């Protein structure tokens, strides 16, 4: 029975978690990846024939997407290590922090996402573009002692260590 998976993944979907970002870290062995994709998408979509139907009664083409395939165990391991570094760096901080932003971008880095392609769509008016660049590069570079596993805006890590003037925000007209 997939009752527990249904509850778990439906709650995540209702809370606003992205199905692709979530499910690509769920193993594709044993049916959990498929259950994740199904319960976070087609099962909750009243515009499909899968709406509130059992998993095995719905065609995979209604909810499986190659771009959201399982990333593999090595990537999951690296992503988990990177996320732990985010947690360690932000431990004890109170109030607003970049911890969730750190987690988002270090996972993408573990997957091998291109830094420029990823960050050029992140606005540069709020610090998130800078955070994208930092967490995908200098934060993860053990050769860069001033930035490695440090918080964003650390004095020992100047913007020049990770910002690329040739890869800025593309602008509002192109980001949509």
């Amino acid at each position: 029975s997939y009752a527990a998976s249904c509850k778990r993944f439906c709650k995540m979907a209702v809370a606003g978690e992205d199905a692709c970002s979530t499910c690509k870290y769920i193993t594709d062995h044993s049916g959990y990846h498929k259950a994740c994709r199904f319960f976070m998408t087609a099962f909750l979509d009243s515009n499909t024939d899968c709406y509130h139907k059992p998993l095995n009664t719905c065609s995979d083409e209604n909810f499986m997407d190659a771009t959201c395939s399982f990333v593999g165990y090595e990537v999951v391991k690296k992503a988990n290590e990177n996320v732990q570094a985010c947690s360690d760096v932000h431990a004890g901080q109170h109030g607003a922090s970049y911890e969730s932003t750190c987690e988002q971008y270090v996972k993408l880095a573990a997957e091998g996402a291109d830094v420029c392609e990823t960050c050029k769509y992140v606005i540069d008016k709020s610090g998130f573009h800078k955070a994208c660049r930092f967490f995908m590069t200098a934060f993860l570079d053990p050769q860069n002692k001033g930035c490695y596993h440090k918080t964003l805006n650390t004095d020992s890590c100047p913007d020049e260590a990770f910002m690329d003037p040739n890869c800025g925000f593309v602008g509002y007209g192109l980001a949509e």
Side-chain angles (χ1 to χ4, degrees):
S1 166
Y2 284 101
S5 292
C6 178
K7 289 177 185 174
R8 175 183 174 204
F9 296 126
C10 286
K11 282 182 183 177
M12 294 169 100
V14 170
E17 289 197 33
D18 178 67
C20 189
S21 297
T22 300
C23 299
K24 65 185 176 181
Y25 283 90
I26 306 292
T27 179
D28 56 359
H29 300 286
S30 76
Y32 286 110
H33 178 79
K34 184 176 179 178
C36 179
R37 292 288 304 154
F38 176 73
F39 291 120
M40 289 190 77
T41 59
F43 181 78
L44 299 173
D45 185 351
S46 61
N47 295 318
T48 69
D49 293 334
C50 305
Y51 182 64
H52 290 178
K53 299 270 176 36
L55 172 61
N56 60 359
T57 63
C58 190
S59 172
D60 288 3
E61 61 201 29
N62 288 310
F63 58 92
M64 295 300 283
D65 181 347
T67 61
C68 301
S69 297
F70 177 56
V71 293
Y73 293 108
E74 289 301 314
V75 171
V76 170
K77 180 181 180 216
K78 186 63 180 165
N80 287 340
E81 290 170 357
N82 290 352
V83 167
Q84 184 60 53
C86 293
S87 179
D88 293 346
V89 163
H90 293 92
Q93 287 188 351
H94 302 291
S97 78
Y98 281 100
E99 185 172 3
S100 64
T101 303
C102 179
E103 292 174 1
Q104 175 185 358
Y105 293 118
V106 298
K107 281 183 174 180
L108 289 171
E111 293 171 28
D114 180 87
V115 178
C116 188
E117 280 301 307
T118 301
C119 299
K120 72 181 183 181
Y121 296 107
V122 180
I123 61 171
D124 58 0
K125 300 294 182 209
S126 63
F128 286 106
H129 180 81
K130 180 178 173 180
C132 179
R133 298 282 317 169
F134 174 74
F135 291 121
M136 289 188 76
T137 59
F139 179 80
L140 298 171
D141 182 3
Q143 301 302 312
N144 191 335
K145 300 291 184 209
C147 305
Y148 181 64
H149 290 181
K150 302 279 197 287
T151 58
L152 182 64
N153 301 318
T154 299
D155 290 339
S156 64
C157 186
D159 291 0
E160 296 79 33
F162 56 91
M163 294 300 287
D164 181 350
N166 297 316
C167 189
F169 174 56
V170 294
Y172 293 101
L174 297 173
E176 294 175 9

